[in-house]
Amino acid sequence: MHETRTTNETLGLGARVKRDKVDKYDYFVSFHRNAHSPEKAQGAEVFTYPTAKAKDLAVQLQNALVRVGFTNRGAKVANYYVLRNTRSPAVLIEAGFIDDTTWI
């Protein structure tokens, strides 16, 4: 496992993808917290670019998030930069909404 960030300093999307291309990884996993109008949305969702290996991981991760109590927003396909430009199969996890106080 290799983390792209170990401090609170932002690392651009290009730099994240570049790190993935330097070494060979089984997967590229990007963790995020979603946001919306306070108390208007909740749950977790996992995004992937349409490759079979990444889709399987996205479904497994989404199911695990639901098992621990997140509302199921689904495993979805997206054309996000870090998903389509990494060499490794990639997923982007939106682990809840930062403005959802019902989860606290």
Side-chain angles (χ1 to χ4, degrees):
M1 183 173 91
H2 177 80
E3 295 180 25
T4 57
R5 284 176 49 168
T6 56
T7 67
N8 198 25
E9 293 182 35
T10 300
L11 187 65
L13 298 176
R16 293 172 196 219
V17 168
K18 186 177 179 181
R19 285 192 180 183
D20 174 70
K21 292 183 179 185
V22 170
D23 291 308
K24 175 125 174 83
Y25 298 105
D26 294 330
Y27 293 98
F28 179 95
V29 180
S30 187
F31 293 94
H32 298 261
R33 292 295 306 264
N34 220 331
H36 195 272
S37 299
E39 313 311 331
K40 299 285 184 188
Q42 58 184 244
E45 53 199 338
V46 180
F47 293 92
T48 186
Y49 198 67
T51 65
K53 191 173 182 182
K55 281 175 135 179
D56 289 343
L57 178 62
V59 168
Q60 289 176 39
L61 290 169
Q62 183 63 32
N63 290 339
L65 289 164
V66 171
R67 280 193 304 274
V68 298
F70 284 97
T71 299
N72 189 356
R73 295 179 59 87
K76 303 172 181 179
V77 173
N79 192 26
Y80 298 147
Y81 183 87
V82 295
L83 298 178
R84 74 173 179 269
N85 288 300
T86 51
R87 179 175 55 187
S88 305
V91 294
L92 186 149
I93 300 169
E94 290 283 2
F97 284 77
I98 201 161
D99 47 13
D100 174 22
T101 61
T102 63
W103 181 254
I104 298 173

